[in-house]
């Protein structure tokens, strides 16, 4: 199942698995299909050698009629499990969209410890009305729980990220804070919530084009937000992580000369580790001339130099990494100095293949 896989500290993996079964729904509900395809949910823990160490099935634990789906349909995805999380005590927290439920499962026995939300809800929500069609139930290091609440049943419907204090003994859920777009957005499906190390919170809104991603600071203020250009595009989950880019292509260099003044424009698209560029010039009948070393400043750098003699000159730049070591060398640019000349890279106008 594509919804989730969690890699544990010991190298084990938690998986979700679709489990279709043929069920005679006519004996369970009036109008039920006699040979309906009903999709259950399997949770597995595997070790590094793919041995199954633990398995839990929704069959026999979660009743088909606990679903919010149409139980008279020929195809019923009655659980639609979408996240699995290992809790601090070693037991498992499972989110199931189509039952509106977050379930805690005993990792040793497979028994259900508690059920939060849905038709079999065991908790009270004293300062909130709960969640619906939710995704991505996670524990924070401070013990709180985060959930991306698609919020279809709210009045009016709206999606949000929520942070909850779950009292497992007293069976109460206290809303600590929520993160909402301005104005509200509604994503019927998909979505997630991520707490960043510095305290900011990322919301991937899922099947919503406006917005598709919002980052909030610790006080709930919006730091950055963007939308999809196409309204039909949705993102299942959105994450923010430190990124190190090492492009397989070289830095790009273009140049323009007017008289003996040459302007170089250079960039290494995708590189995050470049600290400086070394600029070289070479006359037709001479050796390399190290012009300067300049610090990387944004996406594209430029540098103006004065060439002391007319003729054919060749230019290039070398990107240096954070340790001042050579990372990559640009294309060579050849210009005729003494008039006006320019070097621009060739641009293909051929149609790119589709697919």
């Amino acid at each position: 199942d594509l919804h989730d896989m969690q890699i544990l500290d010991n190298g084990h993996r938690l998986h979700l698995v679709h489990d279709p079964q043929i069920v005679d729904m006519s004996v369970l509900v009036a109008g039920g299909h006699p040979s309906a395809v009903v999709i259950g949910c399997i949770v597995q823990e595997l070790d590094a050698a793919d041995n199954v160490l633990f398995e839990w099935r929704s069959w026999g634990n979660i009743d088909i009629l606990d679903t919010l789906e149409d139980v008279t349909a020929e195809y019923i995805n009655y659980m639609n499990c979408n996240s699995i999380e290992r809790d601090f005590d070693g037991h498992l927290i499972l989110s199931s969209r189509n039952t509106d439920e977050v379930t805690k499962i005993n990792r040793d026995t497979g028994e259900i410890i508690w059920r939060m939300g849905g038709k079999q809800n065991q908790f009270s929500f004293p300062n909130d009305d709960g969640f619906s069609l939710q995704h991505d139930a996670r524990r924070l290091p401070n013990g709180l729980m985060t959930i991306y609440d698609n919020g279809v049943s709210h009045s009016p419907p709206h999606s949000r990220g929520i942070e909850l204090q779950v009292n497992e003994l007293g069976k109460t859920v206290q809303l600590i804070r929520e993160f909402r777009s301005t104005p509200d957005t509604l994503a019927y499906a998909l979505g997630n919530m991520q707490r960043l190390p510095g305290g900011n919170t990322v919301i991937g809104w899922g099947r919503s084009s406006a917005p598709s991603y919002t980052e909030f600071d610790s006080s709930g203020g919006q730091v950055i937000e963007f939308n999809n250009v196409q309204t039909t595009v949705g993102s299942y989950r959105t994450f923010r992580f430190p990124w190190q880019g090492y492009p397989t292509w070289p830095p790009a260099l273009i140049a323009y000369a007017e008289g003996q003044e040459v302007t170089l424009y250079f960039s290494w698209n995708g590189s995050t580790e470049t600290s400086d560029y070394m600029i070289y010039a070479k006359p037709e009948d001479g050796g390399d001339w190290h012009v300067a070393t300049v610090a990387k400043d944004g996406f594209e750098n430029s540098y103006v130099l004065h060439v002391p003699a007319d003729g054919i000159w060749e230019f290039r730049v070398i990107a240096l990494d954070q340790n001042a070591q050579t990372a990559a060398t640009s294309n060579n640019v050849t210009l005729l100095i003494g008039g006006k000349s320019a070097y621009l890279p060739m641009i293909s106008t051929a149609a790119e293949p589709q697919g």
Side-chain angles (χ1 to χ4, degrees):
D1 176 63
L2 57 81
H3 282 91
D4 201 9
M5 181 187 73
Q6 295 293 314
I7 300 176
L8 306 180
D9 292 338
N10 59 6
H12 294 179
R13 305 187 310 279
L14 293 174
H15 289 266
L16 298 176
V17 185
H18 269 332
D19 185 19
Q21 304 285 341
I22 303 298
V23 177
D24 182 359
M25 292 298 297
S26 66
V27 302
L28 298 178
V29 61
H33 195 282
S35 56
V37 178
V38 182
I39 308 298
C41 174
I42 299 176
V43 177
Q44 289 182 337
E45 181 179 337
L46 281 68
D47 65 14
D50 290 339
N51 297 304
V52 178
L53 307 180
F54 172 81
E55 182 172 277
W56 179 91
R57 293 173 178 265
S58 62
W59 305 105
N61 289 291
I62 305 292
D63 195 285
I64 296 174
L65 299 183
D66 288 344
T67 188
L68 304 180
E69 295 290 280
D70 178 7
V71 292
T72 65
E74 185 176 356
Y75 180 94
I76 308 168
N77 187 358
Y78 94 97
M79 291 286 289
N80 194 16
C81 298
N82 54 35
S83 75
I84 184 67
E85 178 86 346
R86 186 176 183 177
D87 208 351
F88 297 125
D89 55 13
H91 301 308
L92 304 178
I93 296 175
L94 176 69
S95 171
S96 305
R97 177 185 188 272
N98 288 350
T99 56
D100 268 6
E101 183 176 321
V102 174
T103 312
K104 186 163 183 177
I105 301 165
N106 189 301
R107 166 60 180 77
D108 301 317
T109 67
E111 296 179 350
I112 291 177
I113 298 174
W114 48 251
R115 301 176 68 173
M116 179 197 306
K119 296 180 180 179
Q120 305 299 328
N121 175 50
Q122 297 173 311
F123 288 78
S124 63
F125 294 76
N127 66 338
D128 192 56
D129 59 354
F131 46 79
S132 64
L133 302 187
Q134 80 294 333
H135 289 71
D136 204 33
R138 305 294 175 194
R139 279 289 193 191
L140 295 178
N142 61 8
L144 299 179
M145 181 179 291
T146 61
I147 296 175
Y148 178 65
D149 176 19
N150 293 79
V152 176
S153 68
H154 295 314
S155 182
H158 62 271
S159 299
R160 59 181 182 159
I162 54 177
E163 190 171 329
L164 307 174
Q165 177 72 61
V166 179
N167 183 333
E168 298 187 57
L169 294 178
K171 296 295 189 296
T172 60
V173 179
Q174 192 80 15
L175 177 67
I176 302 301
R177 54 179 173 173
E178 65 177 6
F179 299 89
R180 293 166 67 169
S181 179
T182 304
D184 274 326
T185 189
L186 178 65
Y188 180 80
L190 317 182
N192 73 303
M193 181 174 177
Q194 179 195 15
R195 180 59 46 81
L196 300 178
N200 285 8
T201 299
V202 166
I203 302 293
W205 295 101
R207 190 161 289 163
S208 167
S209 63
S212 59
Y213 166 97
T214 307
E215 181 177 334
F216 299 88
D217 61 26
S218 57
S219 62
Q222 292 187 6
V223 176
I224 186 172
E225 184 170 88
F226 62 82
N227 302 328
N228 289 326
V229 176
Q230 296 180 335
T231 57
T232 57
V233 173
S235 173
Y236 176 52
R237 291 182 185 169
T238 306
F239 298 97
R240 181 172 179 177
F241 290 111
W243 175 257
Q244 289 181 301
Y246 300 93
T248 58
W249 50 88
L253 172 65
I254 63 174
Y256 173 79
E258 185 168 3
Q260 291 180 305
E261 187 173 270
V262 179
T263 303
L264 304 177
Y265 300 92
F266 42 97
S267 174
W268 196 11
N269 186 17
S271 172
T272 62
E273 303 307 293
T274 300
S275 62
D276 299 279
Y277 291 99
M278 298 177 66
I279 301 170
Y280 285 86
K282 181 181 180 180
E284 184 179 16
D285 57 354
D288 273 347
W289 172 31
H290 179 206
V291 177
T293 299
V294 297
K296 177 186 176 182
D297 182 20
F299 173 72
E300 182 180 76
N301 284 39
S302 64
Y303 188 83
V304 179
L305 63 100
H306 182 81
V307 176
D310 292 347
I312 297 176
W313 284 74
E314 187 176 273
F315 305 92
R316 74 182 191 279
V317 298
I318 296 176
L320 302 180
D321 64 19
Q322 302 293 329
N323 298 315
Q325 300 297 310
T326 297
T329 302
S330 75
N331 55 294
N332 292 332
V333 172
T334 301
L335 292 180
L336 177 61
I337 304 302
K340 288 186 178 181
S341 62
Y343 171 91
L344 299 174
M346 296 293 291
I347 299 175
S348 172
T349 59
E352 295 185 0
Q354 302 298 311

